Amino acid sequence: ADDSADHLMQIVLRVPATPGGERPAGIHGLIRRQLEMTVVSRVIHTALLAAGGASACELAGAYASKLRTALDSLTALLRAPATPFVRQRFM
């Protein structure tokens, strides 16, 4: 992120290097995306609960499920060991 930009929240991600000393490519983007999905699901869930009404509560239940899935995915991503990505090239 650009330091001059305004941020509501900034999280610095520190991903450990692999045994070869390299950082896994793209892992920061994956973590950032999962964090975004978690926050968005929580905000929409809370807004729907605040709105009240039967249909809003039903939709809030759907977003609660999305929130649990996003949290599970984020937790698994943060705990999983880095694995190399190998693209096969055919000659």
Side-chain angles (χ1 to χ4, degrees), residues 5-70:
D6 289 333
H7 298 283
L8 294 176
M9 179 185 347
Q10 182 175 1
I11 298 173
V12 178
L13 301 173
R14 295 181 188 201
V15 178
T18 59
E22 299 175 5
R23 299 212 182 261
I27 193 74
H28 291 95
L30 292 173
I31 293 171
R32 182 176 53 242
R33 178 69 177 144
Q34 283 307 125
L35 279 169
E36 289 170 354
M37 290 302 297
T38 302
V39 170
V40 166
S41 296
R42 179 63 181 184
V43 167
I44 294 173
H45 174 257
T46 302
L48 287 169
L49 286 178
S55 62
C57 288
E58 186 177 329
L59 282 173
Y63 275 96
S65 175
K66 288 183 181 194
L67 176 60
R68 282 189 296 275
T69 302

